[in-house]
Amino acid sequence: MRILVVGGSGLIGAHVVDVLRERGHEVTTVARSAQPGVDHLLDMEVAPADELRKVLTGHDGVVYAARTDEQRALRKPIHPQFRRDIVEPVVRLFAAAREEGLTRGVVMGSYYTYWDRLHPELRLTERHTYIRCRVEQATEAREAAGPGLPVAVLELPFVFGRAGDRLPNWAPALDGWARSRSPLLAPTGGTAVTSARAVAEVAADALEQGSGEDIPVADENLRWGEMLERIATAAGRPRKARRLPAAVVRAALKLGGGLQALGRKESGVNPSHLADVLLADLFIEPASGKPLDAAIRETFEERPAARAGA
């Protein structure tokens, strides 16, 4: 098959490109900025339909692996901006893919949509604009694609791994904390985790099968404390995590949400309502059981260049 990978220079996109080529598929890459291995430069937020159709012509499938930052605080109302970032590019892409006769697609989504289905009582789409837009992204991408172009949505948790200098967007802050002398403090609850390589393999399977399903992806389910301890070990400063009381977490997040509100700002994941998520077991069952130690080390181990410059 010929597959177009949008966001092919990013962490997950680069792994998708590698896996597809290992399986004998022909791959074309699209990215916003010039990087080694990028075939087409295109800003998906503003790309018109005719430009999208040009890069899609002759392909069998398309993967949307562009990244967005759900934690950034924007001036209210934030929903229009998050739609421009998350929803509208995907709708335009799959409408153009349908016109060009593509027969399969994959969108890299979020495990928050999985949790929204399982726990409607948390009112995640009502309280968190990012999660609302992820649900809209999945629904509207499939509507734009139509029945002849099945779109699989991979519902991704924390993703470990590295592709050159490309890391998860949350990794630098945790890396600094893990290497510091500060104590590791972790709330109750936990999260599903996976690796960029595992995500790429699931994406390749979905393309080869022409899947149009929601696919939650997880290799392990970790308590927050266990995850922080494994990160600290990989960073070369192993130590135990201490329990952070739930009341402290709730108070701190409420304060953060209040400060945002005073500044007429809001994050995609609203701190005022984040405690119900953060203190829960955000697990995906069944997890694959594939060990993640190598991917965690790859994400957080000190690189030779960093040691040389120390």
Side-chain angles (χ1 to χ4, degrees):
M1 293 187 297
R2 290 194 67 200
I3 306 297
L4 181 73
V5 179
V6 177
S9 65
L11 169 65
I12 292 175
H15 280 271
V16 171
V17 170
D18 288 345
V19 169
L20 287 171
R21 286 177 174 160
E22 289 168 12
R23 296 189 183 188
H25 302 296
E26 185 177 345
V27 183
T28 308
T29 58
V30 172
R32 181 178 298 181
S33 57
Q35 298 278 351
V38 172
D39 299 304
H40 301 283
L41 297 181
L42 205 59
D43 186 344
M44 296 300 296
E45 284 190 37
V46 297
D50 59 337
E51 290 296 321
L52 293 173
R53 292 185 65 173
K54 283 180 185 177
V55 298
L56 287 161
T57 297
H59 290 86
D60 301 294
V62 59
V63 176
Y64 187 83
R67 188 166 70 176
T68 194
D69 181 5
E70 70 273 19
Q71 295 296 342
R72 57 188 171 146
L74 301 173
R75 297 285 293 182
K76 294 181 177 181
I78 68 172
H79 182 247
Q81 181 61 51
F82 270 79
R83 272 194 64 86
R84 284 193 292 271
D85 290 351
I86 297 173
V87 183
E88 293 171 9
V90 176
V91 170
R92 289 196 300 272
L93 176 68
F94 280 98
R98 182 195 67 224
E99 294 295 324
E100 288 301 313
L102 275 68
T103 59
R104 57 205 67 213
V106 169
V107 173
M108 299 300 171
S110 167
Y111 74 156
Y112 285 132
T113 58
Y114 169 79
W115 271 89
D116 182 58
R117 289 197 306 277
L118 261 60
H119 295 282
E121 73 278 3
L122 294 177
R123 297 155 57 197
L124 296 177
T125 57
E126 175 186 336
R127 292 172 167 173
H128 303 284
T129 299
Y130 172 73
I131 301 175
R132 173 183 171 186
C133 285
R134 282 298 195 180
V135 172
E136 291 172 352
Q137 180 191 61
T139 301
E140 296 181 32
R142 287 167 170 149
E143 290 173 352
L149 171 49
V151 177
V153 176
L154 273 54
E155 297 174 314
L156 305 182
F158 280 77
V159 178
F160 289 93
R162 179 185 292 264
D165 62 353
R166 290 151 290 182
L167 291 165
N169 59 1
W170 47 265
L174 286 183
D175 184 83
W177 186 14
R179 294 182 193 282
S180 74
R181 297 185 179 277
S182 301
L184 299 179
L185 302 175
T188 58
T191 182
V193 292
T194 188
S195 71
R197 173 74 187 197
V199 172
E201 291 171 348
V202 174
D205 290 343
L207 288 166
E208 290 172 345
Q209 297 162 10
S211 172
E213 301 298 315
D214 295 317
I215 306 175
V217 181
D219 291 319
E220 296 187 45
N221 291 309
L222 301 179
R223 297 288 175 185
W224 293 118
E226 182 184 359
M227 188 172 91
L228 290 177
E229 289 171 1
R230 289 172 71 172
I231 288 172
T233 298
R237 287 191 55 82
R239 55 201 189 274
K240 289 291 185 180
R242 303 175 188 174
R243 176 64 57 83
L244 190 62
V248 173
V249 175
R250 291 186 183 277
L253 292 172
K254 282 286 187 183
L255 177 61
L259 291 174
Q260 280 191 359
L262 285 174
R264 299 188 59 78
K265 290 186 176 182
E266 187 179 335
S267 300
V269 177
N270 189 335
S272 297
H273 300 291
L274 184 56
D276 288 339
V277 177
L278 189 64
L279 299 173
D281 292 337
L282 298 177
F283 296 160
I284 292 174
E285 300 290 356
S288 75
K290 295 178 183 176
L292 275 176
D293 289 337
I296 295 173
R297 285 195 302 271
E298 184 181 46
T299 308
F300 291 98
E301 68 184 356
E302 190 173 7
R303 313 300 284 181
R307 289 195 294 269

